[in-house]
């Protein structure tokens, strides 16, 4: 561990040995949240005061529940924030043009290789090494609950958070398809039940959503709250919002040149899904440890697939739980 921030084996054992776990889903209940076991050492490292995470002015953290549009948000934020170094390509005029355009990182790499996931990096002992080498303003991502992040992120006026949420019903369906890649036999009902009980991946999901929602209300200048469904409805509007929020609004010249539309097209589901890097069965370097291929992050890319997996009664039950948990917050699905 080059940064010296990961807990040593004995210390880690003493922290986690008494925690509730779900071995089948590889989850540990750490600080009241059900987290992927393999993230926990990374989270402990990030939480260490003066240890794991060294904030830098201008840092932007993308936060989300798994399966709520993380990959898309990574692509859009990267394309927006890196647009001076890497202009998004305009529509290709032909095959030759298309080939020439391949220099954009998002056309050669999976979005997860353009924006690092903090807890995975820190768990691999690569946190400080890779994060320190990123150019400013740094762009990084997390699936961790707001309450588990260090104050150096949440209370830092120079660090911005962009959160994306999604209808929990679609999230759970997406998660089931994802988990099935590792556990082909897992019944949908099992994952659904665990979500309703607040015990599936990154659960309770309402805690996750509410933590960032409340933060966006109290600190709107440092927390931007986005919804997957809104992005689908009007991606250009969300990209403009995102650019303003990180202090890089589009200039009239960029608007005139269609840069916003170029970013939306570059990051669109069809474009990303059909790229060679995402079609190949290969694994991206940072994702290797969890055995999911690049292509597994692109499935249907729409809304309402829950209706193909849940009975109306199941949907009503989950909706009622979520509604009850969010009551009084001003947020609903
Ligand atoms: P579905 O499984 O419902 O299709 P995450 O990136 O957080 O893992 O979320 C994955 C979900 O986002 C998947 O949903 C995936 O298809 C969808 N997705 C990935 N890239 C997208 C894009 N560029 N546009 C819209 N949806 C996208």
């Amino acid at each position: 561990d080059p940064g010296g921030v990961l807990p040593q084996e004995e210390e880690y054992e003493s922290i986690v040995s008494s925690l509730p776990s779900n071995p089948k889903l590889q989850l540990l209940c750490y600080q009241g949240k059900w987290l992927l076991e393999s993230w926990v050492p990374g989270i402990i490292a990030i939480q260490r005061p003066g240890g794991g995470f060294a904030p830098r002015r201008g840092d932007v953290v993308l936060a989300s529940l798994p399966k709520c549009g993380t990959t898309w948000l990574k692509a859009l934020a990267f394309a927006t924030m890196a647009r001076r170094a890497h202009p998004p390509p305009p529509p290709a005029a032909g095959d030759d043009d298309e080939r020439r355009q391949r220099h954009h990182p998002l056309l050669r790499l999976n979005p997860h290789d353009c924006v690092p996931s903090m807890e995975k990096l820190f768990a691999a002992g690569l946190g400080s090494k890779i994060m320190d080498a990123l150019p400013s303003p740094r762009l990084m991502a997390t699936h961790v609950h707001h309450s588990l992040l260090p104050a150096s992120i949440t209370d830092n006026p120079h660090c911005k958070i962009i959160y994306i949420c999604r209808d929990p019903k679609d999230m759970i369906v997406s998660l089931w398809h994802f988990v099935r890649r590792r556990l082909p036999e897992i019944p949908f009902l099992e994952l659904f039940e665990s979500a309703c009980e607040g015990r599936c991946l990154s659960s309770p999901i309402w805690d996750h959503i509410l933590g960032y929602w409340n933060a966006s209300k109290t600190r709107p200048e440092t927390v931007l709250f986005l919804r997957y469904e809104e992005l689908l409805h009007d991606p250009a509007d969300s990209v403009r919002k995102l650019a303003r929020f990180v202090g890089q609004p589009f200039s009239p010249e960029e608007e005139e040149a269609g840069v916003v539309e170029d970013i939306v097209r570059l990051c669109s589901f069809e474009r990303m899904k059909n790229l060679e890097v995402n079609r190949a069965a290969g694994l991206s370097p940072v994702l290797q440890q969890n055995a999911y291929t690049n292509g597994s992050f692109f499935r249907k890319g729409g809304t309402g697939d829950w209706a193909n997996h849940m009975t109306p009664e199941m949907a009503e039950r989950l909706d009622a739980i979520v509604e009850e948990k969010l009551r009084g917050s001003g947020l609903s699905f």
Side-chain angles (χ1 to χ4, degrees):
D1 167 21
V5 291
L6 275 174
Q8 298 303 306
E9 206 169 306
E10 246 175 54
E11 183 198 357
Y12 182 67
E13 275 312 307
S14 74
I15 297 173
V16 303
S17 60
S18 57
L19 298 178
S21 66
N22 177 337
K24 185 171 174 187
L25 293 179
Q26 300 177 329
L27 305 180
L28 269 183
C29 185
Y30 176 68
Q31 297 187 343
K33 318 291 178 201
W34 288 88
L35 307 168
L36 206 58
E37 211 174 346
S38 60
W39 297 344
V40 174
I43 295 167
I44 294 173
I46 292 167
Q47 289 178 333
R48 297 234 144 126
F53 177 73
R56 207 190 281 166
R57 206 184 175 88
D59 280 344
V60 176
V61 179
L62 308 178
S64 60
L65 280 162
K67 315 325 293 173
C68 287
T70 318
T71 315
W72 194 13
L73 181 61
K74 282 186 175 186
L76 290 169
F78 179 86
T80 302
M81 289 175 62
R83 67 188 190 269
R84 295 209 169 85
H86 304 289
D95 284 352
D96 275 357
D97 200 15
E98 166 90 24
R99 228 165 286 129
R100 236 176 298 129
Q101 289 186 355
R102 295 264 165 81
H103 59 265
H104 195 288
L106 285 168
L107 296 175
R108 288 185 281 109
L109 301 167
N110 180 278
H112 293 283
D113 287 327
C114 296
V115 182
S117 300
M118 295 172 69
E119 47 274 13
K120 281 183 205 155
L121 272 192
F122 277 93
L126 295 170
S128 4
K129 197 170 151 208
I130 292 189
M131 305 285 281
D132 289 353
L134 288 178
S136 288
R138 296 188 300 185
L139 187 55
M140 58 208 107
T142 184
H143 282 317
V144 166
H145 293 67
H146 189 267
S147 60
L148 263 55
L149 290 177
S152 58
I153 295 177
T154 54
D155 294 353
N156 185 339
H158 305 298
C159 172
K160 301 205 173 194
I161 298 175
I162 304 177
Y163 186 70
I164 185 161
C165 76
R166 186 183 192 186
D167 181 332
K169 301 193 292 304
D170 282 335
M171 176 227 162
I172 289 161
V173 168
S174 183
L175 181 63
W176 179 63
H177 283 286
F178 197 70
V179 170
R180 277 173 79 201
R181 291 175 174 266
R182 188 178 65 78
L183 294 171
E185 306 299 329
I186 188 167
F188 177 72
L189 201 58
E190 184 176 328
L191 210 64
F192 177 83
E193 281 298 332
S194 72
C196 288
E197 290 165 10
R199 295 150 65 89
C200 86
L201 176 61
S202 287
S203 279
I205 52 183
W206 39 87
D207 274 8
H208 202 285
I209 300 170
L210 266 181
Y212 287 96
W213 170 255
N214 290 335
S216 77
K217 293 286 134 195
T218 41
R219 304 172 64 112
E221 60 300 332
T222 54
V223 184
L224 177 68
F225 193 91
L226 299 174
R227 301 175 74 128
Y228 181 81
E229 295 77 11
E230 274 172 14
L231 255 73
L232 276 181
H233 176 67
D234 191 347
D237 181 60
S238 297
V239 169
R240 288 192 181 93
K241 218 186 264 175
L242 188 156
R244 276 196 303 274
F245 179 73
V246 298
Q248 300 181 24
F250 293 97
S251 66
E253 294 73 27
E254 286 180 311
E255 285 286 354
E256 177 74 19
V259 175
V260 179
E261 288 72 20
D262 291 343
I263 289 174
V264 168
R265 190 180 329 100
L266 171 68
C267 303
S268 71
F269 181 75
E270 286 307 320
R271 183 95 170 104
M272 299 251 103
K273 183 183 169 94
N274 292 313
L275 289 172
E276 212 172 298
V277 62
N278 294 325
R279 265 187 299 143
L283 297 166
S284 70
V286 296
L287 296 170
Q288 258 174 24
Q289 75 272 27
N290 65 20
Y292 292 104
T293 62
N294 284 348
S296 56
F297 292 87
F298 307 91
R299 192 182 64 92
K300 280 196 157 180
T303 58
D305 195 29
W306 61 264
N308 297 315
H309 298 278
M310 294 180 196
T311 63
E313 293 72 28
M314 289 164 79
E316 269 170 39
R317 178 172 157 218
L318 182 57
D319 279 344
I321 295 172
V322 172
E323 196 184 315
E324 213 261 318
K325 301 287 182 188
L326 301 187
R327 187 162 300 144
S329 69
L331 176 68
S332 62
F333 286 93

